[in-house]
Amino acid sequence: VKDRQTKQIRLTEGDDIKTVKELLVHGSVNYLIGRYADPKPAQPVDVYIKFVNTAENNLGIPLPAGIIRLYKQDIDGTQQFIGEDRIDHTPSDEEVRLKAGRAFDVVAERIQTDYRQITSNRHESEWEITVRNRKNEDVKVGIIEPLYGHWKILENSYDYKKTDAFSIRFDVEVPRGKEVKVTYRVQIGF
């Protein structure tokens, strides 16, 4: 390496790592306290890849902070680049979660079907999130809705789980070539 020159080198490599692919749609708290009339209701569907950094999973070493690049073997055995993300220092036996990009064959749209302001600090709104699957296989999509203040779900078309004090998550199966509509009504107070 010459003076003031940089060279990028591969620090570690792992093969045959068992991963889990996750498709997620993220809402926004800004949607909940006013009328939402976005003329383009499209929502990105993010693709995440998760794995556990263990010896049984062909890793099990402390991973330094930096960029992890993801490759997948195609039918011909050629490695195809599928995405990259930056991680923090990660010790062994911990989960690593990487955002690989956005899905182009699974799409989501959000519309507000009802809204009313009850008081100056209490709002009620109803939402419809449509997820369309254009893949040749069934997919599972997580819809994460951030909430805040004192919130209460009044109606919902699918079961949800409370992931923390200010978020809920719907997990829906979307058959290939079909669409699924998730609706819910929420009351927010602050």
Side-chain angles (χ1 to χ4, degrees), residues 22-186:
E22 188 175 39
L23 301 175
L24 295 177
V25 176
H26 294 275
S28 170
V29 293
N30 297 332
Y31 298 153
L32 302 172
I33 57 167
R35 295 194 187 282
Y36 177 76
D38 189 348
K40 296 180 184 175
Q43 299 261 253
V45 179
D46 295 321
V47 179
Y48 289 88
I49 305 293
K50 300 187 300 186
F51 63 90
V52 182
N53 180 15
T54 61
E56 296 81 26
N57 202 14
N58 300 317
L59 284 172
I61 59 171
L63 298 174
I67 294 174
I68 290 185
R69 290 188 176 86
L70 302 165
Y71 296 88
K72 184 177 182 179
Q73 199 168 16
D74 67 11
I75 296 171
D76 301 330
T78 306
Q79 295 289 329
Q80 298 292 323
F81 176 73
I82 61 170
E84 68 181 18
D85 198 5
R86 180 172 291 281
I87 65 166
D88 287 331
H89 296 295
T90 306
S92 59
D93 300 325
E94 291 295 323
E95 182 179 84
V96 177
R97 189 168 186 246
L98 307 166
K99 183 177 177 183
R102 293 210 166 131
F104 62 88
D105 45 10
V106 179
V107 295
E109 293 178 344
R110 167 186 305 274
I111 59 170
Q112 187 180 59
T113 56
D114 192 23
Y115 171 79
R116 67 185 184 121
Q117 185 171 349
I118 299 167
T119 66
S120 62
N121 62 354
R122 184 164 298 282
H123 305 264
E124 190 174 299
S125 58
E126 187 167 299
W127 297 92
E128 179 181 275
I129 299 115
T130 303
V131 181
R132 287 189 297 281
N133 179 7
R134 302 301 184 217
K135 293 173 86 62
N136 289 327
E137 61 190 38
D138 298 347
V139 295
K140 183 177 182 179
V141 178
I143 301 170
I144 298 173
E145 296 293 284
L147 307 168
Y148 68 94
H150 305 289
W151 60 270
K152 182 172 149 182
I153 302 295
L154 305 173
E155 298 171 14
N156 50 292
S157 63
Y158 280 83
D159 290 336
Y160 66 89
K161 63 182 168 189
K162 184 177 172 180
T163 56
D164 60 37
F166 302 106
S167 299
I168 61 171
R169 177 177 172 147
F170 298 93
D171 285 308
V172 295
E173 299 286 339
V174 187
R176 67 181 181 173
K178 303 284 184 186
E179 73 177 26
V180 169
K181 291 183 186 287
V182 174
T183 60
Y184 74 98
R185 186 173 195 85
V186 62

